[in-house]
Amino acid sequence: WAESQLRGLLHGVGVHHAGNSPLMRLEVENLFRKGLLPVVCATGTLAVGIHMPARCVVFVGEMDRHRFSNMEFHQMAGRSGRRGFDTVGHVILCSNFSLPRMQQLLTSGAELLKGVPSITPTLVLQLLRISDRDLACALRILRNPLFSATSSADDADAQSRRLLMFALEFLRRGNLLDTNYR
C-alpha cells in the first residue's frame, strides 16, 4: 500500500486519510502547498484546521451514507477558490446526494460555534501583555460572550472577574507577577 502511495506521489497524486500515518499526511499537505501535487484524494481528514487551498474540490462516492455536518461540507468545499489564491473556485458533486440533502448542504448558513475557552494563567498573562497591564481592559476582553458559559450578562461578568482574579492570584503566588501585575 505504501509503495502505491509513493508511486502516486511521483505522478503528482497524493492520498490523505485517517489510515495514513501522521507523517505521510503531513508530507502530502506540504507537497500540495508547494504545488508539487496537483491532485489530492482525501477524506474528511482535510475538512477542518488544515490550510490547503485548492482550485477545485470534487465529492465522489455515496455521500448520503456519510453523515457529515453542514459545517464539514462547507469546510471541504471551501478549499476551492480561497481568497488570496484564486479568484474563483469549483465544487463538483459526483455522488449520489439526494436532491433535498444537496439543497440543504448548498443553502445552509454557517453553524453557530459553541465553546468556552478556558481562562488560564497563560491567557491572563497574554491579556495583560496586549492590554499594557491594564486590568480593566483585560476584564473588558473577558466580558466578551465568547468567554462565558452563562447566558446572563451579570453572571458572565461575575464569572470572568472571579476567573481573572483566581489566575492573577495564582501568578502572584508563583512569583510570576507582583502586586502591580508586572
Side-chain angles (χ1 to χ4, degrees):
W1 170 246
E3 188 177 312
S4 64
Q5 284 191 31
L6 290 174
R7 250 183 311 176
L9 291 175
L10 292 173
H11 290 93
V13 178
V15 177
H16 193 288
H17 62 84
N20 288 87
S21 71
L23 184 62
M24 182 63 157
R25 286 195 309 261
L26 185 62
E27 196 55 37
V28 168
E29 293 165 26
N30 289 333
L31 291 169
F32 183 80
R33 274 194 285 274
K34 290 177 182 175
L36 300 172
L37 285 181
V39 176
V40 174
C41 301
T43 61
T45 58
L46 272 180
V48 180
I50 298 173
H51 178 64
M52 288 183 63
R55 287 192 176 91
C56 182
V57 173
V58 181
F59 288 88
V60 296
E62 297 182 33
M63 300 306 280
D64 274 343
R65 204 170 50 111
H66 304 287
R67 301 308 293 177
F68 48 82
S69 70
N70 297 341
M71 182 179 74
E72 289 169 320
F73 174 79
H74 284 279
Q75 284 286 324
M76 289 184 272
R79 298 264 167 242
S80 65
R82 297 285 284 274
R83 185 179 308 151
F85 293 92
D86 289 304
T87 55
V88 69
H90 302 280
V91 176
I92 300 170
L93 302 173
C94 296
S95 64
N96 65 342
F97 277 114
S98 64
L99 188 57
R101 176 74 169 137
M102 189 183 316
Q103 289 172 330
Q104 182 229 350
L105 288 171
L106 294 174
T107 61
S108 65
E111 294 176 18
L112 179 62
L113 297 177
K114 296 176 185 169
V116 181
S118 300
I119 299 177
T120 64
T122 303
L123 174 66
V124 170
L125 286 173
Q126 290 293 335
L127 286 172
L128 291 173
R129 184 182 61 79
I130 65 171
S131 66
D132 199 28
R133 306 284 181 195
D134 182 350
L135 190 57
C137 177
L139 193 53
R140 277 194 307 276
I141 293 169
L142 290 176
R143 284 185 182 135
N144 185 307
L146 175 68
F147 287 100
S148 175
T150 65
S151 56
S152 160
D154 290 336
D155 289 345
D157 187 44
Q159 178 191 41
S160 296
R161 186 178 301 277
R162 195 170 45 255
L163 291 169
L164 177 63
M165 297 314 292
F166 175 83
L168 287 170
E169 184 60 26
F170 175 82
L171 292 166
R172 276 196 212 116
R173 286 184 184 190
N175 295 320
L176 296 169
L177 286 178
D178 63 19
T179 55
N180 296 321
Y181 313 115
R182 302 205 185 282

